[in-house]
Amino acid sequence: MEGLSLLDLFPKPKMEDLTLFPSESNMEDLSYENLSRLVKIPDLLSRLLPLRLDGGEKNVSFQWLGPHFLTFLKYVKELLRCFYPDCCRPFTMHNPYCLLKRLDDSAFDCILYEEIFSHHDNEHYKIFLQIVLTSMPKLNEFFTIQTSITNNFKVNKHWEIFIEFLFETIRELLSCHKDSTVLVSNQLEFLQKGLKFLLTFIFYPIPSYDEEQMKSIFTEIEAVFNEAGLFLHSFFFTTDLVTTTKVDLAISGLLERIEIVLVKIKYYSIAVSSEVVGSLQVAGSPSEVSSSQDNSSPMVEEIVVGLEDTTTQIVSKLVGGPNYRQIISIVGMGGLGKTTLAKKVYNDSIVRSNFHKFSWCVVSQIYKRRKLLTDILSSVSNLNGDDISEKKDEELEGLLYKSLKGRRYLIVVDDLWEKEAWDDLKRLFPDDSNGSRVMFTSRLKNVALEISHVVVEPSPLFPDESWNLLEQKVFKKECCPQELQDIGKQIAANCKGLPLSVHLIAGILSNMEKKENSWQHVAKSLSDYIFQKADDYIPTLKLSYNHLPKHLKPCFLYLSAFQEDEKIPVRKLLLLWIAEGLIEKREQKTLEDVAEEYLMELINRSLLQVVQRRSDNGVKVCTLHDLVLDMCSKMVEEDENFQFQHRFLISKHHHLHRLYMGSFHHVWVSENISDAFSIVYNLEKIRILDSSNDDIVRLGFKIMPDLRYLEFSELEPSIGKLHNLEYLCLHYLNEVPTYLLNMPKLRHLRVGGKYDGVRFTKNSDGFRINCLQSLCYIRIVDSEDEEIFRCSPNLRTLKCVSPPGNYFPDLNFLSQLQSLTISKYAFEGDYSVVKFPMNIKKLTLSEICLPWEKMSLIGILPKLEILKLGYNAFIGKIWDTNDDEFQKLKFLKLDSLDLKQWNSSHDHFPVLGRLVLQKCEGLEKIPSEFSNIPTLEKIEVTYCGKNVKASALEIRQEQQDYGNTEIDVTISSF
């Protein structure tokens, strides 16, 4: 740079060139990444305050909080995007596009200079400061709303964007550090609460025939919000001197106006209470708003539809069963109708006639011991509220025990969250062997399993039950018109059996015209309509999120990346969690094992639903209910820590699904990603890449060193330089090169297809000990391939193919191997060389063509729990099992085998739980002694002969006669 001055590198623009709002602009790029980086610098204010502008005559004195300025820029950008997408003269005022552009360019100069010369330059900061100061007086029009809502009493998009900006700015100000120079009044929180209360009336106004009175209230509310906006502009977007006294006076004036409006709303509510069912409850002051909120969701308690089978099941448990004090729990996700079901049972006539004492109490998230004691005691004793309130906790405990002693009682504890609540109180519920019962409802299955003798999980409503509930909610005692029934049933079915969804959509349909075209529109955009009711259901579902332990919250929030109704492959999800660093390391456990524990915790907390299970009964596919997904997405917006670490930019369109995370450190694209690369500015931070466009992927490998998860079609040599890679899937590959197996952190490698397999490169001397845990699909030809496997001592899962001939791989040295899949075309050698690793738990075989007489090679495996035999795995017509074989086998699948006669005893499969027979057309029957296997839960018969089906049904009948009423037999025919 010799001979160049700083101004040569960064020429100072002339002040006359700093026209902030030209009359026209056509700038479509509203990105402000540089500006965002600059305003987040902690000491930015200390850099700006000493500056002197206008030849040193003007000192700068103003409040500066970077995040609140960014909030304003986001608001402007959203406003322009929604209402003026053509970017031309968006307002009657000056065009703000150029402001954003100039601020970002100026911020870029400041940052670039500092990165190159390692110190900041006052000239560039002066230019940035001049742009900010010149713009501030011209921003006031953005701080008021010009479109009135008094015409139709509905909030339009402009209002929604403005309100979001208003509250986001207040939240940023309230989160200021104490050492911040920004003067934030202590009353700002009261202002926030007051404005929130007014919003409840704006979004959910009480209907009235007095339109003028309602219009008057709306007009005053509009004025308050406009005044609040101008307050923010006057005190936090200004160069004027700000004092705490001035801020306090301004907020006090706003609070007085809010109090006046609240009084009007209160009297208005009383006046119209006779016109509507249920009037608005008005808090006395903004400070009471937070305490007056009720987190319960009574909407699902109004009408009880369906649940007959589950009701009968629970009633029989309550009035029958053992004499000891039995604990029964009803578990499931929020909104499933657990409380509704419990109330239906509680009020059942048979139940009411069976017990002497009854009590219903609610625990909720915060366990209040004394409240629970007083609630139960007031129900089961003759004491009045005053008597109870005067007594100490110890006295209440004694009175409760005496009131229940010797009596048959039913205590229902609704919404249990902690096992400790029951542990604390159970000694107060005497067990007199008289059939007393305690019943809980909970979202936490793991808690219910710890304390209960019986756990009931209500099924979602059937489509006809959902329709009955929807019809009753919308039409009350009347019938739905014939022309609306088909579309109404479609809408009900799309609620997916969740009563909460049905109630939400019923509220929407009740307030619109009962016309087919209106209902058709709802059916097409059901999720959008339900999302409009977010404030009605998210508080209910949010309780589950709030109760999550710290380590589970980011894993749950990560699920917001998935689509509605998307079936989520569990193995892939766990790998993504691990790649993102969301799984903590634990001694003696792999990351995969810990991730699976996290998954089961989310399932047991009713936040994830199981769609399909694996043969070992583990979860194979899961999904989120639409409402849970909405809540999850909402929590992502609110959780600042997660946003900081994993900032989302999600685009969900038809076939395109991208996800950029954490300074764009995650890119997940199912289609062409060329446009994704044009957006991502920090490729070296990307951790996950899932794509089918290899041309674009190849361009990025050299600048994506932090990749952890990679899936695409072909091999690219530069992959070997990705030293942080943990998972690699290559769809097409001729040979596995040495460098892939030698990658230092690679734990999972999946190559080629399951029918052909991929050979190792013949260079065994170059292989080093690696940390591979799973390897699929490899072609094993000879002993040299075996030697390569010795470099993978941690291998837990192996899927391999072996060609025809007399060679059979000996993998006994793989001591950690738990799952083995082998396809071998017609083994022709000495059967004595056929050996299987002794520690495996799961074995899948096909096309090996072993005779049934050699089944003992498998039967003796001491830890085998899952056995799948596919086409020609064994050949012959007769299979005779032997004593002391398959002693731990839980799952057995026979698929496309030419087996005719199967002779076996229940002693040969003592713990078998599930039997699957598929396309075994020659098989005569299932061994009749299987009716004596006590652990048998399910038999699946698909495309087999009539005798096999008949024997399956006979086994079920005999099992049921022995008391195994839970056995399930499914039969599918041609």
Side-chain angles (χ1 to χ4, degrees):
M1 296 186 188
E2 188 174 352
L4 292 177
S5 68
L6 296 183
L7 290 178
D8 292 326
L9 291 172
F10 301 96
K12 179 180 178 181
K14 298 177 181 179
M15 296 310 296
E16 57 266 24
D17 294 333
L18 293 177
T19 305
L20 295 174
F21 298 104
S23 59
E24 290 191 11
S25 177
N26 193 28
M27 298 180 183
E28 298 182 1
D29 180 16
L30 280 179
S31 173
Y32 43 86
E33 293 295 339
N34 299 305
L35 181 60
S36 176
R37 289 177 60 190
L38 184 66
V39 300
K40 290 178 182 177
I41 295 175
D43 62 341
L44 179 61
L45 181 61
S46 63
R47 299 183 184 185
L48 298 179
L49 287 177
L51 300 180
R52 293 179 177 273
L53 305 179
D54 299 334
E57 299 172 358
K58 181 178 180 182
N59 280 85
V60 180
S61 176
F62 69 101
Q63 300 204 92
W64 178 267
L65 178 66
H68 89 264
F69 192 69
L70 283 182
T71 299
F72 170 72
L73 296 177
K74 292 175 186 176
Y75 159 60
V76 173
K77 180 176 177 179
E78 179 68 9
L79 204 62
L80 302 180
R81 185 188 64 79
C82 290
F83 297 100
Y84 304 96
D86 60 355
C87 304
C88 293
R89 298 183 64 86
F91 291 94
T92 54
M93 62 171 288
H94 307 283
N95 188 327
Y97 276 80
C98 203
L99 167 63
L100 295 177
K101 180 63 176 172
R102 287 188 179 278
L103 282 172
D104 196 59
D105 288 346
S106 179
F108 175 76
D109 291 340
C110 295
I111 293 170
L112 185 62
Y113 182 95
E114 196 155 346
E115 288 181 350
I116 294 176
F117 296 100
S118 302
H119 63 86
H120 64 272
D121 172 61
N122 285 345
E123 290 302 316
H124 291 94
Y125 277 90
K126 281 184 179 181
I127 295 170
F128 174 78
L129 182 59
Q130 184 68 52
I131 298 174
V132 172
L133 296 180
T134 308
S135 67
M136 281 185 172
K138 302 180 180 181
L139 299 178
N140 64 318
E141 291 190 40
F142 287 101
F143 288 81
T144 57
I145 227 27
Q146 306 297 322
T147 55
S148 176
I149 56 175
T150 56
N151 295 329
N152 54 10
F153 305 113
K154 290 184 179 179
V155 176
N156 57 31
K157 187 65 177 177
H158 196 170
W159 257 92
E160 290 180 7
I161 297 172
F162 173 71
I163 288 171
E164 177 62 28
F165 157 64
L166 206 63
F167 281 102
E168 182 63 27
T169 303
I170 293 175
R171 282 195 294 269
E172 293 290 357
L173 294 172
L174 287 173
S175 64
C176 282
H177 296 294
K178 292 182 178 180
D179 57 353
S180 171
T181 56
V182 179
L183 301 177
V184 178
S185 170
N186 294 326
Q187 298 188 80
L188 193 59
E189 188 172 353
F190 290 109
L191 174 61
Q192 182 188 44
K193 290 180 179 179
L195 293 174
K196 281 185 178 180
F197 186 84
L198 294 182
L199 276 186
T200 62
F201 188 83
I202 292 179
F203 284 104
Y204 304 105
I206 302 172
S208 172
Y209 297 110
D210 190 349
E211 188 171 307
E212 288 301 317
Q213 186 180 7
M214 189 172 178
K215 186 175 181 178
S216 172
I217 293 177
F218 266 79
T219 300
E220 293 200 39
I221 292 176
E222 284 182 14
V224 170
F225 273 92
N226 279 333
E227 189 173 333
L230 290 174
F231 160 75
L232 291 181
H233 179 259
S234 299
F235 289 95
F236 300 102
F237 294 83
T238 179
T239 59
D240 296 334
L241 181 64
V242 174
T243 64
T244 303
T245 303
K246 289 182 180 180
V247 176
D248 286 341
L249 286 173
I251 295 181
S252 297
L254 273 169
L255 290 175
E256 288 178 6
R257 290 203 61 175
I258 291 174
E259 292 288 351
I260 293 171
V261 179
L262 288 179
V263 171
K264 289 188 176 182
I265 292 176
K266 189 170 186 175
Y267 285 111
Y268 170 78
S269 303
I270 295 172
V272 301
S273 61
S274 58
E275 302 174 12
V276 296
V277 179
S279 63
L280 181 67
Q281 295 184 1
V282 180
S285 68
S287 60
E288 296 178 21
V289 174
S290 58
S291 61
S292 67
Q293 292 175 342
D294 183 8
N295 290 326
S296 64
S297 180
M299 68 182 76
V300 295
E301 316 299 340
E302 298 173 1
I303 299 175
V304 180
V305 170
L307 307 173
E308 280 75 14
D309 291 341
T310 310
T311 302
T312 302
Q313 175 190 357
I314 298 176
V315 169
S316 67
K317 300 289 185 184
L318 292 176
V319 302
N323 287 328
Y324 60 78
R325 182 196 63 194
Q326 193 175 44
I327 313 300
I328 300 170
S329 290
I330 304 172
V331 300
M333 69 174 289
L336 185 61
K338 301 181 297 298
T339 302
T340 302
L341 175 60
K343 283 188 175 181
K344 187 175 183 180
V345 171
Y346 186 75
N347 295 317
D348 185 89
S349 58
I350 298 175
V351 173
R352 301 302 291 188
S353 64
N354 186 70
F355 296 95
H356 305 132
K357 297 281 187 178
F358 296 86
S359 178
W360 180 288
C361 55
V362 180
V363 180
S364 196
Q365 277 195 301
I366 301 175
Y367 167 49
K368 297 178 180 178
R369 189 172 188 274
R370 183 175 178 85
K371 182 180 184 302
L372 207 60
L373 282 172
T374 56
D375 286 349
I376 299 174
L377 193 56
S378 61
S379 301
V380 299
S381 71
N382 296 322
L383 296 173
N384 60 42
D386 292 336
D387 292 335
I388 293 175
S389 63
E390 294 174 356
K391 298 185 181 300
K392 297 180 179 179
D393 287 3
E394 294 78 8
E395 295 178 280
L396 295 179
E397 292 175 4
L399 289 171
L400 176 57
Y401 185 85
K402 291 177 182 178
S403 298
L404 297 177
K405 183 63 179 174
R407 301 299 186 101
R408 187 185 305 118
Y409 56 82
L410 171 61
I411 309 295
V412 179
V413 181
D414 190 26
D415 204 16
L416 181 71
W417 290 86
E418 299 287 352
K419 174 178 176 289
E420 287 70 21
W422 170 241
D423 291 339
D424 187 29
L425 295 176
K426 63 182 177 182
R427 61 186 176 82
L428 306 180
F429 298 97
D431 187 357
D432 296 318
S433 297
N434 59 0
S436 292
R437 302 287 185 257
V438 179
M439 186 164 68
F440 295 99
T441 70
S442 179
R443 304 185 192 188
L444 310 180
K445 186 177 179 180
N446 53 336
V447 171
L449 288 171
E450 284 192 58
I451 65 176
S452 307
H453 302 101
V454 178
V455 175
V456 178
E457 299 183 69
S459 300
L461 297 176
F462 291 111
D464 59 334
E465 293 173 335
S466 295
W467 166 239
N468 290 338
L469 178 59
L470 184 67
E471 185 180 26
Q472 289 187 45
K473 286 288 294 179
V474 175
F475 297 99
K476 311 303 179 188
K477 296 181 179 180
E478 300 178 4
C479 292
C480 173
Q482 186 66 37
E483 65 272 13
L484 293 179
Q485 289 194 10
D486 288 343
I487 188 62
K489 290 178 181 178
Q490 178 186 335
I491 292 172
N494 289 338
C495 290
K496 299 170 187 173
L498 191 67
L500 179 58
S501 294
V502 178
H503 281 269
L504 289 169
I505 207 65
I508 294 170
L509 295 175
S510 298
N511 294 312
M512 62 169 47
E513 290 183 304
K514 307 298 188 293
K515 292 184 178 180
E516 188 175 2
N517 60 343
S518 299
W519 283 35
Q520 288 281 4
H521 192 269
V522 173
K524 291 178 182 178
S525 307
L526 187 65
S527 60
D528 293 337
Y529 276 94
I530 289 181
F531 192 71
Q532 292 176 10
K533 292 282 188 177
D535 289 342
D536 288 348
Y537 66 83
I538 282 183
T540 299
L541 300 179
K542 186 179 177 180
L543 293 176
S544 296
Y545 172 77
N546 290 340
H547 200 266
L548 285 176
K550 185 178 180 180
H551 67 275
L552 284 183
K553 285 186 175 180
C555 291
F556 175 69
L557 296 179
Y558 192 89
L559 297 172
S560 63
F562 292 94
Q563 306 263 36
E564 285 186 6
D565 303 324
E566 185 171 353
K567 291 180 172 57
I568 306 171
V570 164
R571 293 191 188 278
K572 184 169 187 174
L573 174 63
L574 302 187
L575 290 170
L576 293 173
W577 279 348
I578 292 169
E580 288 292 356
L582 304 181
I583 307 300
E584 62 184 12
K585 294 181 179 180
R586 295 181 187 172
E587 292 185 7
Q588 309 302 321
K589 288 188 177 182
T590 66
L591 289 170
E592 288 74 12
D593 290 339
V594 177
E596 189 155 7
E597 290 179 7
Y598 285 15
L599 176 84
M600 294 311 301
E601 285 191 71
L602 291 176
I603 290 172
N604 287 333
R605 291 170 178 273
S606 305
L607 289 170
L608 270 174
Q609 297 172 301
V610 178
V611 175
Q612 184 180 353
R613 290 191 176 272
R614 303 193 303 263
S615 51
D616 62 356
N617 208 38
V619 181
K620 186 175 184 178
V621 181
C622 62
T623 189
L624 288 90
H625 193 279
D626 293 351
L627 298 191
V628 177
L629 181 59
D630 288 343
M631 182 268 288
C632 183
S633 301
K634 185 69 174 177
M635 293 303 97
V636 168
E637 296 175 9
E638 294 183 7
D639 193 315
E640 295 180 359
N641 291 329
F642 188 81
Q643 285 185 341
F644 177 77
Q645 297 173 18
H646 307 278
R647 270 175 293 166
F648 276 47
L649 173 59
I650 297 180
S651 174
K652 295 182 179 179
H653 305 291
H654 303 296
H655 303 294
L656 180 63
H657 183 193
R658 336 183 164 114
L659 175 59
Y660 314 106
M661 297 184 65
S663 297
F664 299 103
H665 74 270
H666 177 145
V667 178
W668 182 6
V669 186
S670 58
E671 285 199 352
N672 193 305
I673 64 166
S674 57
D675 53 343
F677 274 20
S678 67
I679 298 174
V680 178
Y681 71 93
N682 207 359
L683 292 176
E684 70 272 11
K685 297 294 185 181
I686 295 176
R687 288 186 175 182
I688 296 172
L689 181 53
D690 185 349
S691 172
S692 60
N693 191 320
D694 290 350
D695 292 335
I696 302 300
V697 170
R698 288 192 185 94
L699 297 176
F701 279 154
K702 297 179 181 179
I703 49 176
M704 292 190 289
D706 202 32
L707 270 183
R708 312 288 176 86
Y709 180 108
L710 175 60
E711 179 174 351
F712 69 112
S713 296
E714 299 176 356
L715 177 65
E716 167 65 33
S718 57
I719 290 177
K721 298 179 181 179
L722 301 175
H723 299 303
N724 291 314
L725 201 63
E726 298 173 354
Y727 173 87
L728 175 62
C729 177
L730 303 172
H731 300 155
Y732 306 104
L733 191 65
N734 295 324
E735 287 187 341
V736 178
T738 304
Y739 66 80
L740 282 189
L741 295 182
N742 289 341
M743 297 183 71
K745 296 184 180 180
L746 191 66
R747 296 199 309 278
H748 304 279
L749 177 61
R750 186 184 186 96
V751 293
K754 63 181 179 179
Y755 299 109
D756 300 325
V758 180
R759 288 291 310 275
F760 289 124
T761 299
K762 290 301 181 181
N763 182 19
S764 58
D765 293 338
F767 290 101
R768 300 190 299 269
I769 298 296
N770 57 59
C771 57
L772 278 178
Q773 293 182 19
S774 68
L775 183 57
C776 320
Y777 291 89
I778 295 299
R779 191 174 183 85
I780 305 178
V781 176
D782 50 34
S783 58
E784 190 173 348
D785 291 331
E786 283 183 25
E787 287 301 312
I788 295 174
F789 276 111
R790 293 185 181 276
C791 295
S792 305
N794 300 310
L795 209 58
R796 301 173 70 188
T797 299
L798 174 62
K799 296 182 179 181
C800 58
V801 176
S802 189
N806 59 8
Y807 168 78
F808 196 89
D810 182 0
L811 303 172
N812 268 302
F813 56 85
L814 294 174
S815 60
Q816 302 298 315
L817 197 64
Q818 296 184 10
S819 176
L820 175 62
T821 299
I822 298 181
S823 295
K824 166 76 177 179
Y825 301 111
F827 177 70
E828 300 169 354
D830 182 357
Y831 296 124
S832 64
V833 304
V834 178
K835 299 177 182 178
F836 299 97
M838 297 301 288
N839 288 324
I840 59 173
K841 295 181 178 180
K842 177 181 179 181
L843 179 61
T844 303
L845 303 175
S846 63
E847 300 186 284
I848 299 179
C849 297
L850 291 173
W852 287 107
E853 291 80 7
K854 296 300 177 180
M855 177 56 80
S856 59
L857 295 169
I858 297 173
I860 62 171
L861 296 173
K863 298 182 180 180
L864 189 65
E865 297 179 358
I866 300 167
L867 176 60
K868 298 181 179 181
L869 301 178
Y871 175 72
N872 276 349
F874 282 77
I875 56 175
K877 301 297 183 182
I878 301 175
W879 178 17
D880 294 316
T881 58
N882 301 318
D883 293 338
D884 300 325
E885 291 183 352
F886 303 109
Q887 294 302 292
K888 291 191 176 181
L889 196 70
K890 299 177 181 178
F891 178 96
L892 175 61
K893 179 179 181 180
L894 307 179
D895 184 4
S896 304
L897 295 171
D898 192 22
L899 179 64
K900 182 177 181 180
Q901 187 175 336
W902 183 8
N903 302 315
S904 186
S905 166
H906 66 279
D907 293 330
H908 298 168
F909 297 93
V911 296
L912 188 67
R914 184 176 170 192
L915 174 64
V916 179
L917 300 175
Q918 186 171 325
K919 297 181 181 178
C920 295
E921 302 169 31
L923 186 62
E924 293 178 352
K925 66 173 184 176
I926 303 172
S928 59
E929 284 208 29
F930 277 26
S931 60
N932 296 321
I933 300 177
T935 54
L936 194 60
E937 297 177 348
K938 189 167 187 177
I939 300 176
E940 299 173 47
V941 178
T942 305
Y943 302 151
C944 294
K946 294 181 180 179
N947 292 338
V948 173
K949 302 171 189 174
S951 63
L953 295 175
E954 290 175 6
I955 291 171
R956 180 177 66 179
Q957 185 59 54
E958 290 191 38
Q959 285 270 353
Q960 290 176 342
D961 292 342
Y962 292 142
N964 182 13
T965 57
E966 303 298 325
I967 187 171
D968 180 24
V969 174
T970 59
I971 296 175
S972 302
S973 305
F974 287 104

